[in-house]
Every structure is written in C-alpha cells, then in structure tokens.
Amino acid sequence: MRDVLDATPYDALLLLSFGGPEGPDDVIPFLENVTRGRGIPRERLKEVGEHYFLFGGVSPINDQNRALLDALRKDFADHGLDLPIYWGNRNWAPYLTDTLREMTADGRRRILVLATSAYASYSGCRQYRENLADSLAALEAEGLDLPKVDKLRHYFNHEGFLEPMIEGVLRSLADLPDDVREGAHIAFSTHSIPTASADTSGPVEGHGEGGAYVRQHLEVAGLIADAVRERTGVDHPWQLVYQSRSGAPHIPWLEPDICDHLQTLHESGAPAVVIAPIGFVSDHMEVLYDLDTEAKAKAEELGLPMRRSATVGADPRFAAAVRDLILERAATERGEQPALCALGALGASHNLCPVGCCPARAPKPAAAGVDSPYA
C-alpha cells in the first residue's frame, strides 16, 4: 500500500505567478496592471506591447503554469500527497485575490505558497509577499475569516531545480557543431534589476554589492558549470549576464547585458555560446523575446553559433522538488527537524523572511514574513 505523505498543518498549495496576456486585447490592460503607479505613458506601453504582438498577443506563461499545475497534481497523486492546488497571478487572471477568496470559501485554513521565482529579490519575493498582504486585506475588508498563509523557501539550489537545467545545458552543447563545441562559452542569464535593489536583496546581514540576488545566481551558475565539467570532461568558460532591463537610463542596473556580452565573446574569439536562462522558471515572454529573438539576432549578426538551453518548466524533477519542499516545511511547522535539500555552499534559505529582507521601495505590509500583519 502506498504511504500517505503528511502535509499537516497545511491544507492547500497556492501557485503564485506573474500572469500574462492571453490575446491581443489583453496586452495593454495587462501592461497597465504591471506598471500601475509608475506613471508610464500609454504610448510606451504600446511599444513594449509589440513584443507580445509578435507572438499573437499571447504570453506563454499562463499555459506554462497550467502545465506545471498538471505536473504537480500528477506527482502528488502518484506519491500519495493529498493536497489541493490552486493558482493565482499578480497581474492577470486568475487574480490572486479571487483565488484566495475561493480558497477561503472552500474552507482552506493553512495555505502554503509556491512563487514562480527561485531567488531573493524585491520583485521575486518581497513584492509577492506584499501582493499576498494586499489580497488578505481585501478579504478582511469583506468580513471573511482569513487563512494563515506561508511561503515556501527559495529553491534555487534544490537538486530538482538544478538537474533539469544541467541537462538542458548538456543538450545545448551537444547540439553545437563538433568544431566549436569544446570551446563554447556558457552565458548564464537572469533578469537585470537596479543595483540598489540587488545590493539590499536577502537578509540585512548579507546586504552589500549584489546582495543575495547575485550570490545565489553565481552559486547556481557555478554548480551547473561544475556538473557540466564532471559529465563532459570539458571546463567551459562561463559568465553571469543579465537581460530585460526596463528602467530609466540614469539608474544603474546589473550588467553586462546579454547582447553586449555576445559582442564581447565575438571580439575575444569565442567559437560558440550556450545561453542558459537560470533566472527563469519557465520559457515566458522575456525568454522568448529577449533571448530567442533579440539575443539570437545579435548572435546571427556576429556569426556566433548560439544555442539556448531550456528552463525548468514543468519537469517532473521540479514537481518532485516542490513536493519535497512542502513536506520539509510541514515537518518543520510540526516541530520536527527534517533534512533540507540544498546543494552548494549557501545552504537552505530561511522559511520566514526576516525584517529588512529585500526591503520595499516604500514601507508596505508583507505577508509570510517575521513582520507580517497576518501571522
């Protein structure tokens, strides 16, 4: 008989993501949601919207979340984990507040949240926690009895997140022509953020140049590069690079940009490059446009052979990692001391974000942390 896995005290999992348009008419309203309060002119939103219109006005992120939901439900069923899964987005339907209202109506009292961001940063963690607090405040104003909401720890260094990316890089290297494969460089790419935001990412004691955001990405890049060397016998040069900058030109953001890096590689005589988008859980719009469109065009212009490796997406190993993280957190909440899966030197991340971790641009309540108003 299959063992029944114990997620007590939790009675539901919430997949929390960014959201994206699912048709041309959705694009501008979606971008207005993303940029609300930042005073960005509608004409600028139309320019950005052209990225989406190249793909029929549809972001792949919602379909990728549906695939991840299917993978999670299959994994849970196959392993005897009886935990219902819901899905809510920050910027598009299904909206987070609506999903939390549904969960409350269904009698869910203790909710674990899986955010589709593996690393520490304001936009990748704190902002999701602020979204949770906003939604809980809205439900409270409706007179609803609020559930307790916790967030799963950062999973950047979990084996189930790393292994699919390692295999993706190996497949991309194998797909390069024989005469350039051994000398190929690896460009590990993630979303650029303002340097001021990077410097204050993670707990206060770790603030400094790049903060936890850069350190965690460097850790992942190093772990993947080491695994590639161990499995191929080739030590490929690598660099952490950035993409998708969107801020004002006078504000410093993390560099080098992926396209600038491709230019540098070409000038240095690199024979080929594999771009590995380690900062992204799935192949959403910023991967399809910034890498598969812009970076690909730059590489072709330079005559630099390029391959782009896959993101984790709905890989069964990632679904298994989520199950592992749930059981680990549930056991901790029950007062047990479970083994924590975390490869590399940084160890397992905190379960509760401490005060001052990835601080907000302006003071704002955030759930699922030490200072949560909804503890």
Side-chain angles (χ1 to χ4, degrees), residues 1 3 17 19-20 47 61 78 106 133 152 173 191 208 211 222 260 281 287 320 336 345 355 359:
M1 180 179 294
D3 291 335
S17 194
E47 291 176 20
I61 192 169
D78 288 348
D106 288 348
L152 288 171
L173 286 167
H191 205 300
D260 293 340
V281 171
V287 175
E336 302 168 21
V355 176

Side-chain angles (χ1 to χ4, degrees), residues 269-303:
V273 62
V274 168
I275 301 177
I278 61 173
F280 307 93
V281 171
S282 63
D283 290 3
H284 56 60
M285 184 56 67
E286 287 172 323
V287 175
L288 292 187
Y289 184 81
D290 297 334
L291 297 183
D292 293 353
T293 305
E294 284 194 331
K296 180 182 178 183
K298 181 66 175 179
E300 289 174 348
E301 171 195 323
L302 297 169

Side-chain angles (χ1 to χ4, degrees), residues 317-332:
R317 288 163 294 188
F318 180 46
V322 173
R323 168 170 42 87
D324 182 55
L325 291 166
I326 291 168
L327 296 174
E328 164 201 300
R329 180 61 180 275
T332 301

Side-chain angles (χ1 to χ4, degrees), residues 139-299:
L139 299 188
E140 187 175 41
E142 296 172 11
L144 298 180
D145 188 13
L146 300 184
K148 179 172 171 52
V149 177
D150 292 328
K151 179 178 175 291
L152 288 171
R153 66 177 174 89
H154 302 302
Y155 46 83
F156 64 93
N157 55 0
H158 194 289
E159 183 178 15
F161 184 67
L162 287 165
E163 189 60 35
M165 293 191 291
I166 293 167
E167 288 194 3
V169 172
L170 290 170
R171 285 194 299 269
S172 293
L173 286 167
D175 191 48
L176 285 167
D178 294 344
D179 60 335
V180 298
R181 182 181 305 124
E182 187 166 327
H185 288 233
I186 306 173
F188 293 104
S189 187
T190 190
H191 205 300
S192 184
I193 61 175
T195 57
S197 180
D199 293 346
T200 56
S201 57
V204 172
E205 62 270 19
H207 289 179
E209 187 174 358
Y213 186 75
V214 171
R215 282 194 298 277
Q216 290 172 359
H217 281 88
L218 287 172
E219 179 89 331
V220 168
L223 288 166
I224 295 174
D226 288 348
V228 169
R229 182 182 65 251
E230 290 167 4
R231 299 181 198 188
T232 65
V234 179
D235 192 5
H236 291 275
W238 62 270
Q239 170 81 39
L240 179 63
V241 300
Y242 302 93
Q243 63 176 87
S244 312
R245 176 188 170 129
S246 59
H250 68 281
I251 298 176
W253 282 52
L254 292 173
E255 297 177 336
D257 175 77
I258 177 60
C259 288
D260 293 340
H261 181 63
L262 294 178
Q263 181 73 43
T264 300
L265 288 181
H266 172 67
E267 292 172 356
S268 69
V273 62
V274 168
I275 301 177
I278 61 173
F280 307 93
V281 171
S282 63
D283 290 3
H284 56 60
M285 184 56 67
E286 287 172 323
V287 175
L288 292 187
Y289 184 81
D290 297 334
L291 297 183
D292 293 353
T293 305
E294 284 194 331
K296 180 182 178 183
K298 181 66 175 179

Side-chain angles (χ1 to χ4, degrees), residues 352-371:
L352 282 176
C353 291
V355 176
C357 189
C358 303
R361 300 181 180 99
K364 191 173 181 181
V370 171
D371 57 351

